């Protein structure tokens, strides 16, 4: 299967918004509840110089199947940005598409933003997402309950390379 990342457009934002309302997705994806107009406003803001977010669409064999993005981009904070992704087409679940998309997306973040430290949230019950993050080098830093749902915070960055003395290795 050929996986590609492409630019987001207002049309893909609308498609993503509609598809991500599926209860099978909302049950597995930590997200804010926003309107379509708010989603479009956030997309437009991501196009401005110095934007705090950046995303791409995920295509599998020429079909638009999901999105991958980072938000909260800040070179001073740790983590420097938060990562999120969603393959919204159920027929494409469990095929390694998000894993391949992440492998394409991380170098874009390094090149475009020089990010060294990323965080990600996922529901603890979303074992596929937990495995994907761990395979990509993210480490679970915390498990917590929020609004009755057990969640995990993962991080990939300088802390993974620190030995017990706190020095980078």
């Amino acid at each position: 299967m050929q996986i590609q990342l492409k630019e987001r457009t207002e049309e893909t934002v609308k498609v993503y918004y509609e598809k991500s309302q599926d209860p099978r997705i909302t049950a597995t994806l930590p997200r804010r509840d926003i309107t379509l107009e708010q989603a479009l406003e956030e997309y437009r803001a991501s196009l401005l110089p110095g934007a705090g977010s950046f995303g791409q669409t995920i295509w599998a064999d020429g079909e638009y199947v999901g999105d991958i993005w980072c938000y909260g981009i800040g070179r001073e904070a740790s983590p420097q940005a938060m990562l999120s992704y969603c393959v919204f087409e159920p027929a494409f679940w469990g095929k390694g598409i998000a894993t391949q998309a992440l492998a394409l997306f991380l170098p874009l973040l390094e090149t475009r933003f020089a990010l060294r430290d990323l965080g990600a949230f996922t529901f603890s019950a979303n074992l596929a997402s937990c495995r994907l993050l761990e395979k990509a080098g993210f480490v679970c830093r915390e498990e917590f309950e929020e609004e009755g749902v057990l969640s995990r915070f993962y991080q990939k960055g300088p802390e993974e390379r620190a030995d017990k003395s706190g020095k980078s290795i």
Side-chain angles (χ1 to χ4, degrees), residues 111-153:
T111 301
R112 188 169 181 154
F113 301 103
L115 298 179
R116 303 173 319 278
D117 187 12
L118 293 172
F121 289 104
T122 191
F123 292 148
S124 297
N126 188 344
L127 298 179
S129 186
C130 294
R131 282 191 300 270
L132 179 149
L133 291 167
E134 290 165 2
K135 223 177 357 179
F138 285 76
V139 173
C140 183
R141 295 282 178 220
E142 179 182 5
E143 188 167 56
F144 58 95
E145 188 174 320
E146 186 172 54
E147 297 181 16
V149 178
L150 198 57
S151 298
R152 293 181 185 177
F153 169 68

Side-chain angles (χ1 to χ4, degrees), residues 70-117:
C70 64
Y71 59 94
I73 298 171
R75 289 163 185 82
E76 304 299 320
S78 180
Q80 294 177 300
M82 297 299 294
L83 173 74
S84 199
Y85 47 86
C86 175
V87 173
F88 56 68
E89 288 295 346
F92 290 88
W93 292 350
K95 299 186 184 296
I97 292 168
T99 299
Q100 291 179 58
L102 183 57
L104 295 170
F105 193 63
L106 290 176
L108 284 176
L109 295 179
E110 290 176 22
T111 301
R112 188 169 181 154
F113 301 103
L115 298 179
R116 303 173 319 278
D117 187 12

